[in-house]
Amino acid sequence: MYAPYVDIFRPDSFMAPHIERQTATFGTEVVPKLKRLLPAIEKRLRDRIVMK
């Protein structure tokens, strides 16, 4: 429900592929593993700095 409205969404591993298919058009990055969440956030922040 929230996935289309956020930059990064962290579901459990089972639901991740299902949510990813539904949010592909919105640009939401689905991160299925907690250990990959911090790198995804850092990358998103770096990308925003470069774009400005």
Side-chain angles (χ1 to χ4, degrees):
M1 194 161 153
Y2 295 105
Y5 305 103
V6 297
D7 292 330
I8 299 172
F9 190 78
R10 193 350 218 152
D12 59 30
S13 296
F14 176 77
M15 288 302 296
H18 304 289
I19 294 170
E20 197 166 28
R21 282 192 296 268
Q22 300 300 317
T23 61
T25 59
F26 299 105
T28 302
E29 180 178 355
V30 178
V31 180
K33 298 287 183 184
L34 190 56
K35 67 181 181 180
R36 292 174 37 194
L37 182 58
L38 186 56
I41 293 170
E42 290 172 340
K43 180 184 180 306
R44 185 64 63 129
L45 290 172
R46 277 193 311 273
D47 291 350
R48 284 192 177 183
I49 291 171
V50 170
M51 291 175 75
K52 286 185 178 184

